[in-house]
Amino acid sequence: MTDQQRFDMIGAIQEQLSQYSGKTRLSTPNLDKLMKESTSFMRHYTQSPSCGPARATLFTGRTVERTGVQTNDLIREEVYKKNSLLFEDKINDMRTFEQVLSEEEDYTCEYY
C-alpha cells in the first residue's frame, strides 16, 4: 500500500486517463509493476477523510466506529489516556491485516 499521494501519481494509471494523453507522464516502474501484478481498486472510497482513521480501517478491515480511531488526535498520549476506557477493549482485541499475513501466512511486513 502506498500513501500520501494522489491516485494519478502512478504512471500505469496515467496511461489509462485521457487527460494525460500526449503529456509527460511519471516514471514509476515499481509501482506500475505492483499495480499490474496485484489488485487495483479504481473506485475505492475511504471511511474517513483523516489519515489516522482511514489507515486503521485499511489495516483492520473494520469501520471507523469499530476501530475506535475516529480522529488523528488519538495518537497523542494525553487524548488516549482521557479516552482509554472507550477504546481499550476494541484495541486489545483487534488484529491487523499485517498480523494475519505475518502470523498465519509467514509474510514479512514492515512500515517505513
Side-chain angles (χ1 to χ4, degrees):
M1 175 173 53
T2 64
D3 193 12
Q4 304 296 332
Q5 65 188 41
R6 288 170 39 117
F7 79 98
D8 59 351
M9 294 296 104
I10 298 175
I13 291 177
Q14 289 182 349
E15 290 174 7
Q16 299 174 17
L17 300 173
S18 61
Q19 64 260 37
Y20 288 99
S21 180
K23 296 181 182 175
T24 302
R25 297 186 180 132
L26 291 175
S27 175
T28 56
N30 292 326
L31 290 175
D32 294 351
K33 182 179 178 190
L34 179 65
M35 184 178 154
K36 289 175 183 173
E37 293 178 358
S38 61
T39 302
S40 299
F41 298 96
M42 300 306 283
R43 297 187 193 277
H44 176 78
Y45 298 91
T46 184
Q47 284 280 319
S48 173
S50 298
C51 62
R55 289 176 187 161
T57 63
L58 285 170
F59 293 155
T60 63
R62 297 181 181 196
T63 63
V64 171
E65 296 80 14
R66 294 197 181 271
T67 65
V69 181
Q70 297 183 1
T71 69
N72 289 333
D73 288 339
L74 285 177
I75 60 173
R76 293 197 336 240
E77 189 173 343
E78 67 275 7
V79 175
Y80 177 76
K81 283 182 180 177
K82 186 169 100 176
N83 296 313
S84 65
L85 294 177
L86 297 173
F87 305 114
E88 197 71 34
D89 292 337
K90 291 179 180 181
I91 292 170
N92 287 338
D93 294 336
M94 199 177 308
R95 291 185 65 206
T96 65
F97 183 60
E98 289 77 12
Q99 286 172 316
V100 171
L101 287 177
S102 62
E103 294 169 5
E104 297 178 14
E105 303 296 330
D106 201 32
Y107 280 89
T108 300
C109 300
E110 296 183 31
Y111 296 98
Y112 297 97

